[in-house]
Amino acid sequence: MTQSDRARVSWHQNTETRYRHGRTSPDPDRVEPLGFPPPWPTRPWIYANVIASKNGILTWKRTGVHDDPIRAIAGGDFTRSGRLADLQLMRYLRACADAVSFGAQTLRDQPDLIGTPDIGGGLGDALYQFRVRHGLGRFPLQVVYSESGRLDLDAPMFNTPHLVVIIITTGAGARHLRARGSHEKGLTLLVAAADSIDSVGLRRSHERLLNEFGVHYVDCEGGAVMLESLHQAHILDEVFVTVTDAHVVPTEHTEVKRIFEFEAEGACLIGEGRTASDSGYIFRRWRFNQR
Ligand SMILES: NC(=O)c1ccc[n+]([C@@H]2O[C@H](COP(=O)([O-])OP(=O)(O)OC[C@H]3O[C@@H](n4cnc5c(N)ncnc54)[C@H](OP(=O)(O)O)[C@@H]3O)[C@@H](O)[C@H]2O)c1
């Protein structure tokens, strides 16, 4: 058994019974199959996927290139099998989606980020085959939310062949992006409002993702600001959160952002899992909107 096989999340609690892609896992050694409800009639089903410290911290303002909240939250060691399981789940969740989305600050802080499932290796191949079997494109669409349009268009996401990128932005943001060559790079700008995008604009832009781009499932990978915006708009349907055993001292950082107080906000725990090889990581699935 390889290390990645030992890093499979076993869901001891899982109340979602609607398996839109069947009950067969794309790669039984590495991921258990997950079900999803149907999308809403007018907008996609939106799920998020994040990693949080034991005390609920998602991120903070980075002080430099060596200040990496995700590494600290993961327990300071990207090789432990809990983190491997988290990455395998992340890639599977990407593979289940028509679009993977990010807030602009996440992309500014992690400029090499691309939300594709096939980073290579056995799981990558299996997820590619899974998408082909279910009539999904090789790559999910990439959606970036940016009111300002202040994005580095030299980043890999905007320069990878066959990747379709949609930027949900404002009129001012669109002008800024066009002036810097978004059209020449084939990027689609979805203008949701003139100057700032409120809950109505955010909801409408997801309706457009369904109607104009056939997006039925969105996998939002954060960050915290964007998750809060989606939640305020009542369109964040559920959150997959990996809780690690790292305790982050909030006073050591600035602009600390936390995961939701799920129970206090009325979310239901519909899934919980662990890996046999790393008891420090817990995988939870919290649902806000019942369907
Ligand atoms: N722990 C985790 O799992 C996790 C997950 C993701 C990210 N992160 C970390 O979190 C940090 C970034 O997260 P963050 O919370 O600071 O920022 P974020 O959510 O990634 O991005 C915030 C930005 O999104 C845009 N935005 C916000 N509301 C919007 C709306 N209604 N419509 C359109 N665009 C909107 C704005 O972009 P403009 O400023 O361009 O207008 C805003 O500055 C990074 O360091 C990243 O590594 C952690």
Side-chain angles (χ1 to χ4, degrees):
M1 195 181 265
T2 68
Q3 199 198 357
S4 61
D5 298 338
R6 291 173 62 243
R8 176 181 189 267
V9 179
S10 292
W11 295 90
H12 55 259
Q13 181 188 343
N14 176 11
T15 58
E16 179 53 69
T17 55
R18 292 159 290 182
Y19 288 82
R20 59 192 270 268
H21 296 126
R23 283 175 182 269
T24 308
S25 166
D27 186 343
D29 289 337
R30 297 185 179 88
V31 287
E32 272 186 20
L34 287 168
F36 289 90
W40 300 96
T42 56
R43 68 164 178 88
W45 182 259
I46 303 176
Y47 55 93
N49 177 211
V50 289
I51 184 167
S53 70
K54 192 176 178 176
N55 53 329
I57 290 174
L58 279 184
T59 192
W60 54 82
K61 188 175 163 59
R62 296 176 184 228
T63 53
V65 283
H66 299 297
D67 183 15
D68 181 351
I70 297 181
R71 178 178 282 275
I73 288 164
D77 175 7
F78 276 157
T79 64
R80 63 187 275 189
S81 62
R83 175 60 177 168
L84 196 56
D86 178 52
L87 290 176
Q88 294 191 160
L89 175 64
M90 179 186 82
R91 290 164 70 188
Y92 177 38
L93 291 173
R94 289 176 177 178
C96 292
D98 300 295
V100 178
S101 69
F102 305 96
Q105 190 58 42
T106 294
L107 203 54
R108 288 192 283 263
D109 287 350
Q110 298 174 248
D112 294 333
L113 196 60
I114 301 183
T116 55
D118 58 341
I119 313 171
L123 180 60
D125 294 340
L127 294 177
Y128 170 60
Q129 297 300 334
F130 167 80
R131 287 185 65 86
V132 169
R133 265 199 313 281
H134 295 289
L136 299 162
R138 171 161 196 156
F139 301 126
L141 297 182
Q142 306 290 299
V143 173
V144 182
Y145 309 96
S146 173
E147 292 179 302
S148 70
R150 204 165 51 80
L151 295 166
D152 175 6
L153 297 190
D154 290 330
M157 181 180 293
F158 306 119
N159 297 281
T160 299
H162 311 300
L163 210 57
V164 176
V165 183
I166 298 173
I167 303 174
I168 296 179
T169 188
T170 60
R175 284 192 292 282
H176 187 74
L177 287 161
R178 280 195 203 102
R180 287 159 62 228
S182 63
H183 180 71
E184 291 71 13
K185 286 184 184 282
L187 310 178
T188 298
L189 307 183
L190 206 156
V191 177
D195 298 312
S196 72
I197 304 175
D198 63 7
S199 290
V200 174
L202 206 51
R203 179 175 273 269
R204 286 213 182 112
S205 51
H206 287 83
E207 290 169 358
R208 288 185 61 189
L209 285 181
L210 173 68
N211 294 329
E212 297 172 31
F213 301 93
V215 172
H216 295 97
Y217 292 87
V218 173
D219 173 15
C220 180
E221 292 193 2
V225 169
M226 208 51 237
L227 293 191
E228 185 57 38
S229 293
L230 293 169
H231 185 48
Q232 289 296 322
H234 302 292
I235 59 172
L236 182 58
D237 294 307
E238 60 181 342
V239 183
F240 290 83
V241 54
T242 301
V243 182
T244 75
D245 50 9
H247 180 88
V248 172
V249 181
T251 50
E252 289 179 356
H253 309 283
T254 58
E255 297 182 31
V256 170
K257 294 174 189 120
R258 293 173 178 274
I259 191 61
F260 303 103
E261 298 280 352
F262 287 105
E263 272 171 307
E265 299 209 36
C268 271
L269 183 68
I270 67 149
E272 188 170 87
R274 289 179 185 273
T275 64
S277 52
D278 191 339
S279 60
Y281 274 51
I282 305 176
F283 300 83
R284 295 205 173 100
R285 181 179 187 179
W286 289 95
R287 187 162 289 174
F288 282 118
N289 295 330
Q290 297 307 319
R291 173 140 174 78

